[in-house]
Amino acid sequence: MLARMTTEPEQQIGVGTPDAFQRLWTPHRMAYIQGENKPTGPEAGDGCPFCSIPSKSDEDGLIVARGESVYAVLNLYPYNGGHLMVVPYRHVADYTELDDAETAELARLTKQAMVALRVASGAHGFNIGLNQGSAAGAGIAAHLHQHIVPRWGGDTNFMPVIGATKVLPQLLGDTRRMLSDAWPR
């Protein structure tokens, strides 16, 4: 329940002409738009975040599960709450560069991610995919990563459709803990 309800819009200095709209600020998106944490080049040593994440603790790196050759991590700029990525430890850009063991483990962790998301959040469906290359929409094209985006019936409401804003109801650290606890062992 909200602490207070008012019929008058709250006025905030610096937001432009006063109107009846409330504003939902999403400043974390500006980091993505400005290319924060993007590699400076195509090599592993060029600041690739997917190469540096595994050296962090699970909590600091937002890692949900670790395998032998791939790991599952929350997306810092999620399309939906619980948006995970399965990423090979090895710095490869293309799906065809994975060896058989990496390919099999990528598939296994993808299945486990789906199970964990169903258990933890009751996901009704998923968008799963690889964006191969910048032309295909890969934000970090030099390091392969598969997206697992949970979906729920009716989750495309007026906020993303009209307001171009996604409301995420949980902090990433809390989401990581919830999914880690639900991960199949």
Side-chain angles (χ1 to χ4, degrees):
M1 177 170 217
L2 296 173
R4 75 180 167 87
M5 294 293 289
T6 177
T7 57
E8 294 297 316
E10 183 176 325
Q11 300 301 314
Q12 188 173 21
I13 297 171
V15 298
T17 306
D19 56 32
F21 292 103
Q22 298 292 321
R23 273 125 180 111
L24 179 63
W25 298 103
T26 56
H28 67 282
R29 295 294 301 163
M30 189 53 70
Y32 179 77
I33 292 166
Q34 293 176 335
E36 192 173 298
N37 299 321
K38 287 258 187 157
T40 57
E43 303 302 319
D46 292 335
C48 176
F50 295 132
C51 288
S52 65
I53 288 170
S55 66
K56 299 177 181 181
S57 71
D58 289 355
E59 290 78 13
D60 290 342
L62 297 173
I63 296 171
V64 176
R66 295 177 188 257
E68 293 292 319
S69 57
V70 302
Y71 64 96
V73 62
L74 285 176
N75 190 324
L76 274 179
Y77 310 104
Y79 298 130
N80 250 356
H83 179 170
L84 289 168
M85 295 176 293
V86 178
V87 184
Y89 292 114
R90 194 163 61 91
H91 188 83
V92 297
D94 197 89
Y95 186 73
T96 62
E97 296 177 51
L98 294 177
D99 63 31
D100 290 345
E102 290 167 326
T103 302
E105 191 169 45
L106 186 127
R108 184 172 58 79
L109 261 69
T110 298
K111 289 170 61 175
Q112 290 176 334
M114 292 171 67
V115 169
L117 285 160
R118 283 183 177 129
V119 167
S121 67
H124 298 151
F126 300 91
N127 293 117
I128 298 173
L130 301 162
N131 298 326
Q132 292 285 258
S134 296
I140 300 175
H143 198 131
L144 179 76
H145 51 287
Q146 176 159 273
H147 295 266
I148 299 117
V149 182
R151 301 302 302 266
W152 297 268
D155 71 359
T156 304
N157 60 32
F158 74 96
M159 288 300 289
V161 174
I162 305 296
T165 302
K166 181 63 86 166
V167 178
L168 301 174
Q170 192 172 49
L171 296 173
L172 290 175
D174 295 339
T175 303
R176 190 215 68 80
R177 195 170 23 264
M178 178 183 73
L179 291 174
S180 180
D181 290 347
W183 200 267
R185 306 274 189 258

